[in-house]
């Protein structure tokens, strides 16, 4: 992932890898009910009224999802599991470089 400081790991898949990492980060740094509030959406709740939470958000590679796609594998506290796949609809027109902050 992004942690090791190497830009070589992104290669031709920089857009997918970075978007995958951003989605994973977003979904692991905020509670699902707070994300729903921020987006003005209804909250998912269990039968007892407690909010459904994100138990796990892992990139496909770390979740051992058998695909060549990039994406995030979500496991929720209600037992549901979702895969959010990042697909490229069009490559950038010009050269794109990575800049570390």
């Amino acid at each position: 992932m992004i942690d090791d400081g190497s830009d070589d790991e992104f290669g031709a898949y920089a857009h997918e890898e970075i978007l995958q990492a951003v989605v994973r980060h977003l979904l692991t740094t905020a509670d699902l009910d707070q994300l729903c509030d921020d987006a003005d959406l209804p909250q998912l709740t269990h039968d007892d009224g407690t909010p459904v939470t994100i138990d796990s958000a892992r990139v496909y590679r770390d979740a051992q999802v058998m695909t060549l796609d990039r994406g995030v594998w979500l496991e929720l506290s209600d037992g549901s599991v979702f895969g959010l796949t990042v697909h490229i609809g069009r490559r950038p027109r010009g050269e794109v470089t990575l800049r570390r902050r």
Side-chain angles (χ1 to χ4, degrees):
M1 297 257 320
I2 296 177
D3 305 329
D4 70 3
S6 168
D7 293 339
D8 294 339
E9 67 189 298
F10 296 113
Y13 300 102
H15 288 76
E16 297 102 309
E17 290 285 339
I18 289 171
L19 289 172
Q20 168 185 265
V22 167
V23 169
R24 183 189 164 281
H25 176 76
L26 174 68
L27 295 175
T28 55
T29 57
D31 290 330
L32 184 57
D33 59 332
Q34 183 61 50
L35 291 169
C36 289
D37 283 348
D38 293 347
D40 198 27
L41 296 169
Q43 295 177 356
L44 296 170
T45 58
H46 293 282
D47 291 341
D48 64 3
T50 60
V52 172
T53 59
I54 300 170
D55 285 346
S56 175
R58 297 176 289 162
V59 298
Y60 282 174
R61 179 182 56 236
D62 294 345
Q64 299 179 346
V65 175
M66 298 295 287
T67 182
L68 296 175
D69 292 330
R70 276 30 175 206
V72 178
W73 191 252
L74 298 173
E75 297 177 8
L76 305 183
S77 61
D78 64 358
S80 57
V81 178
F82 297 90
L84 303 176
T85 302
V86 177
H87 287 282
I88 289 184
R90 180 182 312 139
R91 291 274 179 197
R93 289 185 182 93
E95 188 69 27
V96 176
T97 59
L98 300 176
R99 178 184 59 155
R100 294 276 173 192
R101 298 193 126 245

